Each structure stands twice: as C-alpha cells, then as structure tokens.
Amino acid sequence: MKKLVCILALLSFGTAFAQTQIVPADTVPAIIHHQSESNGIKFSSTLRPLRQIAGAPEPFYTYFWEFGDGSFSFEKEPTHFFPDDKLYQVRLFATNSYDDGKRPPTRPKPLKPGTSRPVLASNQGSSLFKSGGSIEMKTNCMPKPGDDMMLVLGYRNKPENGIANLSGTIAFLYNDKEFNKDNFELAEVRSYYNEKKSEMDKYGSFAALKQQTLNPYTASLKGPAAPETTIPVFDPEGSALIKEKMNAFRKAEGWKFQNLKSGQENFLFLHLKTTPEMIKDTNAVVKLTGMFIPDDALAATEFFTMELQIVASHDPNKMMLKNSRMNYRFTGKNRKLTYKVKFQNTGKGPAKKVDVGVAIPPNLNIASIEILDSKPKIVNCDAAYVNQSCMDTVRTVDSVHFVFKNIYLPGLQQKGVNDADSTMGYVEYKIGFLEKPKKLPFRSGAAIVFDKNEPIYTNRATGKYKTGLSPGIIAGYGFPFESGNSPFSGQKNITLGLSIAPYAPHRYFFQAELYMNSFSEKEFLIKRTPGDGRFIPVPNRKEEKIDYVDSTAKIRVVTINLVPLQIRRNFNKYFGAGIGTLVSFNLDKQATPLRTIVLEASAAGSSPPIIKSFKKISSSFNDFQNTFFADIQVGKVHVGPAIGFRYLYTLQHSNNRLITYLTWKF
C-alpha cells in the first residue's frame, strides 16, 4: 500500500511539474493587434519584455511591418489602408537592440478588412527612394549569424523617364565572392505585382539588346495607320556593367516585370537566412546588389549596392572598415582605408551635439584623414558662421574627434518621430598608412557622446591581411664537413629550386620547398680483397704478385629534395631562421664500376696498377633518404633577396653537410 501511495505521489508531482514548466520568453512570438479607425486600420503589438545587456544603453525594439498587399512600414504603430476586403497576411518583424535574448519569432496574422478603402496612403514607398534612383533596397536589421533578415527591394518607373508603360528585369545579387563561403540563403520571395521568375544569364547578355521605338520620321514614311514598331538596340555600356556586377557574386535571382506605369512603385520582399558558414567576423562587410534593367532604351540601367556589417548583436552604433581584408602586397603609404562610424540617438529627446571619438591604430597616419561624407551633411566649422551647424575635427596623438555641433538629431523615443532614419547619422572618412606596416591585424574603435550623456562604445573594426602566397627561387652551393663512404659525403654540390610561403609573414609560418642537388662525381671504395699470394701475368714482364684488389665505382648523382614540413620565423625585416625535414631521392644516378689490381713491389721496381672499367649502370627514383636541417637567413627575409646558411644531417649515412644559398622571394 505504501509503494502505491509513493508511485501516485510521484506521478502527481511529475504532472504538476510538467504543467508549470515555463516557456522560454525568446520563443514567444510577436502578437499583432489591429483596430479599425476612421483613417484606416491601426496596428500595434505585444512583445516579450526586453532584458538589458549589462553596461549597454537602454534596450529597445525596431519594427518592420509587411501588410501582405505589397506595402510596408518601419513605424512602431502604423496606420494602413487596404485596397479591398480580401484576406491579407500581416507580418511583424521586431528587432531587439541592446537585448541579451533572441529576436521574437514572426507569425503571419490573417486579416480581412471589413470594408474596401481607397489606397490613399497605403504605399509607403516614397520613404524608400531617398537616393532618387529607380531601384533601392532596405533591410530591417544588420546580418547576424543565426538570425533571419528581411530585405525590401523597391523599383519604380520614374516620371522623368517619360515612358507611360515600362517593362524589364529586376535582379538581386548576393553572396559576394570576396568570401570563400556563402553567407546568405534566399529562403522566400513574396511578390505582389505579377513579377515572373527569370533566369539570370551569367554574362548579362540579356541586357545587350534593348527595344527602342522607331523615330517619328521613320514612322511617318510608313503612313499614319502603321502600327508603332520597335527595333533592337545594342547596349554595350549596360552589358559591361552588368557583367562586372554579376562576376562579383556567386548567386543571382531575377524577375520580369510588365507595364510599370509612370510614377508607379513596386516592392519585392526577400526573406534571407544566414547560413551556418556565415563568417562570424563582426568587422566583415558583405555586399548585396540590386539591378534595374529596363527593356526600353530611353530608361537607364541602374544599380543599387548595400554594404552590411556582420554583427554579433543588434547595435545601431557601430564602426565598419570597408574592404577589411586587404592584399598586403599592395599595402603602403599610398593605400587609403575607408572607415564609417554610424550612430543613432535612441533617447527621448533631440541631440544638439554628437562627439564621435575614434582611436587611431599606430600604423595609420592621423594627419592624412579626409572626410568623405556625413549625415547630417554639414560644413566644416572653420568655414561656418556663428551658430551654424558644422563639424569640428579635433586631432590628438592617437585619436580624432568628429564633433557635430549645433545640429538637431531627433530621438528614437521622441514624441512625433516615426522615421527611424531621421534619428541616425554617420561620418565616413579616409586615412592612409604611415609606412609599410607589419603584416599584423590592427584595430580601431569609437566612443560616441550625445550631448553630455555617457559615451557609447562601438565594436572594434579590425583590419586584416589576406594570407597571400610568395613564391621564391633558391640557388646554392654546398660543401661537406667531412668525407664519407657515400655519394653525398665529401662532395661539393649545386642547388637549384623553388619555395612557396605566405607573403611577407611576421610571425611563425610554414614554408615548402622543392629543389635539385647536383653532386660532383666521386669514386668510392666498395670492397678491398687481399692478394693472398696470388700472381698475375704482366705484359713484357714476368708474373707479378698481387698485393690487393679494389672494387670501386665512379658515381655522379642528381637528387630531388622535397621539404614538406618547415617552420620558420622572421624576427625582423633582416633576420629569419627555420628548422624542418626533407625527403630526397635519386633523380639520376650514373655508376661506372672499376676494378683496380695493385701489385707488390719487387727488386726490379713496382708496376703500375691494372685498372679495368665495366659498363656504366644508370638508375633513377631510388635511394630515398630522410634529412633534418636548420638554417638562418640574412637580408630582406620578408620579400626580396637574402643569403642563407643551412646545416643538414642525413640519417641513413650519418652524413652532415652545409649549404650556402641565395633566395629571392617575390
């Protein structure tokens, strides 16, 4: 009976435990609310509470709404008109900044408006085309490994084109070839304007021909009743640009659009997933490119490229270094780096002063700083009148401050502020190197102060160098320490070969080599046989007594030497050392056997030895040997000429020797 009671108690405890398990907050999806009002349908949401990262500013959400009819909004609580009372799938993508949790999951909410309403302000596209182009893109966040990202791709028929109905192709290029692996996977594309999927020609030849309407004079010759005709026109400039763009990416998607009216703006919604292979370097900058390729020659082919920094967390204040992975071979005083520091006022009121302080790495020339662009775009304080909005650039020994003065930067949580872009700013600048730097990573970070608040520290933008390869040539002369009874012992030799190593390394690195040794000819003893009282007839003389008989061979050897493992270190620009092992074998071995009979001296004098040679024996690809070595180099050990001294010890014959060689790395 007691056992039964215990079992029942355990079961009831387990049931109660299962019923009271807490669902992780990160798995709670965004809850969408809507309310019909006189001016449309107002949307709001319920999201999980934010959890502030220790030491970070106050956390907040940013919003991206997709209404399911081809329109969208970045407002927190937008109001939207639907064109009719059909069923729509409304989605909310909320991004948590300065929060230590995951982004709230997104679930579509089916919505059927009660009545049809005119489309008055339903299309939010006017806020997207801020650059004035025919194609522009915007994302709801920066790419973060493990997170999804939404991208709006907008295209339009600008009224200045003067074309009533325009057809063509929209293309989206992603996964730039600068990185070895793909960073994105295009999970889904939602279109609302009857765009048709189109195959993308790798070389962009589909844009080489455009349709141009026949000119009025030619049309008049055919008569007023003749239908309007078009002729194909070759577009070499557009085709060349498309090829250039497409060659920079591994993936491309395209869609055909038809009869885009003058002034009409359409949007595609692309759901991008970050791949497991996405580089987790939070300083890396990936590119996405959109192409607008009209069929009509009167409209220009246009491109829009986004540069997105891979982030570890969603932080609107960040620093990025464009092309952060550089080719060291082309790095020097004339090389310029481009940095961009972005900031956002996330407070409840406007900022009148923003101080962007940047730490300058010691290998960069602070005097060479050149401001390329800024937002807000303002003049230099040296040329400003009293109280004019301006930027003051203050240089110190190891930092520079870009100070935005007398500006008005709204706060994200400020009343009446619905455009998040208006709360953001940036400064972009170029800077050069002091001299040819060491091939080591260098870092720079920024501290941003809004008015008199505490500084907000950005990530550290790191510049790195691609490994690069440095081929080299080797030419040397070797001589022995001692004589021995092998083809290598006591023989001078010439060395010719090649090496491969990382380009201009500054720390430990591996180097591989392949070279040939040609040893001078050597005669060495194989066997000596005593005479043992034997006699041999000698021409013009009586028989002579044999002292001994030597069996020898004249050998000339050419070997191939492979260095599969060698570790080296350059201690400075002019001195380096290394140790390693090599495997060698005979490429060509020429052996001529000899027999030498030495006669004993007699009272009549001594006779010369009797020498007999035999047929030459050739062999190759044999006699494999293992050798350990250590060497030093003096000269331009990174790139250029150097002289080396290498000591080698061969295990098979207990033979050691020294090679003096010249090497030149390119």
Side-chain angles (χ1 to χ4, degrees), residues 453-494:
N453 292 295
E454 291 295 317
I456 298 173
Y457 297 97
T458 68
N459 60 298
R460 301 180 73 187
T462 303
K464 296 180 180 179
Y465 298 103
K466 298 176 182 178
T467 302
L469 292 178
S470 176
I473 56 175
I474 301 171
Y477 179 75
F479 52 89
F481 283 134
E482 61 183 23
S483 296
N485 196 31
S486 79
F488 305 103
S489 301
Q491 293 308 103
K492 299 173 182 178
N493 58 87
I494 296 174

Side-chain angles (χ1 to χ4, degrees), residues 567-582:
I567 185 168
R568 304 192 62 83
R569 181 177 181 182
N570 294 332
F571 294 93
N572 53 45
K573 293 181 180 180
Y574 307 106
F575 181 76
I579 58 172
T581 181
L582 66 84

Side-chain angles (χ1 to χ4, degrees), residues 330-631:
F330 304 112
T331 300
K333 287 185 178 181
N334 297 326
R335 172 69 186 267
K336 299 288 186 179
L337 303 178
T338 301
Y339 285 91
K340 191 173 188 178
V341 184
K342 295 182 177 181
F343 52 86
Q344 182 177 27
N345 180 9
T346 60
K348 298 179 180 179
K352 295 183 179 180
K353 176 183 176 182
V354 180
D355 183 350
V356 181
V358 178
I360 303 299
N363 60 330
L364 300 184
N365 184 5
I366 196 170
S368 67
I369 288 178
E370 176 186 350
I371 298 175
L372 300 176
D373 196 8
S374 68
K375 179 186 176 183
K377 204 170 187 66
I378 50 180
V379 300
N380 193 293
C381 286
D382 293 340
Y385 54 79
V386 178
N387 294 328
Q388 182 183 5
S389 297
C390 64
M391 181 188 295
D392 194 9
T393 305
V394 181
R395 294 175 173 85
T396 65
V397 175
D398 58 356
S399 65
V400 62
H401 289 257
F402 303 100
V403 186
F404 293 78
K405 295 182 176 180
N406 302 320
I407 64 171
Y408 184 88
L409 188 70
L412 186 65
Q413 303 179 57
Q414 182 178 330
K415 284 187 177 180
V417 175
N418 295 319
D419 184 7
D421 286 349
S422 67
T423 67
M424 299 178 182
Y426 65 83
V427 59
E428 186 175 15
Y429 64 93
K430 286 198 304 187
I431 186 170
F433 288 93
L434 279 171
E435 56 183 12
K436 186 74 171 182
K438 292 183 178 180
K439 195 180 179 182
L440 299 172
F442 55 92
R443 297 173 176 84
S444 180
I448 303 167
V449 179
F450 296 91
D451 291 328
K452 296 182 179 181
N453 292 295
E454 291 295 317
I456 298 173
Y457 297 97
T458 68
N459 60 298
R460 301 180 73 187
T462 303
K464 296 180 180 179
Y465 298 103
K466 298 176 182 178
T467 302
L469 292 178
S470 176
I473 56 175
I474 301 171
Y477 179 75
F479 52 89
F481 283 134
E482 61 183 23
S483 296
N485 196 31
S486 79
F488 305 103
S489 301
Q491 293 308 103
K492 299 173 182 178
N493 58 87
I494 296 174
T495 300
L496 291 173
L498 302 171
S499 67
I500 190 75
Y503 181 77
H506 279 264
R507 292 178 176 171
Y508 291 103
F509 63 96
F510 292 103
Q511 178 170 302
E513 297 174 2
L514 179 66
Y515 60 89
M516 178 185 71
N517 276 123
S518 178
F519 290 84
S520 59
E521 187 177 73
K522 175 189 178 180
E523 181 179 347
F524 71 97
L525 180 66
I526 299 174
K527 182 181 179 182
R528 172 167 287 180
T529 305
D532 295 331
R534 290 179 296 159
F535 289 85
I536 185 172
V538 178
N540 302 321
R541 299 184 64 175
K542 296 181 180 180
E543 290 185 339
E544 298 273 354
K545 191 175 182 180
I546 299 175
D547 187 7
Y548 58 86
V549 178
D550 281 347
S551 297
T552 61
K554 286 185 177 180
I555 296 181
R556 184 179 183 87
V557 179
V558 177
T559 65
I560 289 292
N561 304 270
L562 173 64
V563 180
L565 180 63
Q566 177 185 186
I567 185 168
R568 304 192 62 83
R569 181 177 181 182
N570 294 332
F571 294 93
N572 53 45
K573 293 181 180 180
Y574 307 106
F575 181 76
I579 58 172
T581 181
L582 66 84
V583 177
S584 64
F585 60 89
N586 293 341
L587 178 65
D588 181 39
K589 180 179 180 181
Q590 302 289 334
T592 304
L594 301 171
R595 186 174 66 182
T596 304
I597 302 173
V598 180
L599 305 175
E600 287 187 359
S602 63
S606 60
S607 298
I610 301 171
I611 302 174
K612 183 179 180 181
S613 62
F614 299 88
K615 185 178 179 181
K616 185 181 292 186
I617 301 172
S618 298
S619 62
S620 58
F621 300 103
N622 59 1
D623 195 14
F624 287 83
Q625 301 187 32
N626 299 99
T627 300
F628 292 102
F629 66 85
D631 75 6

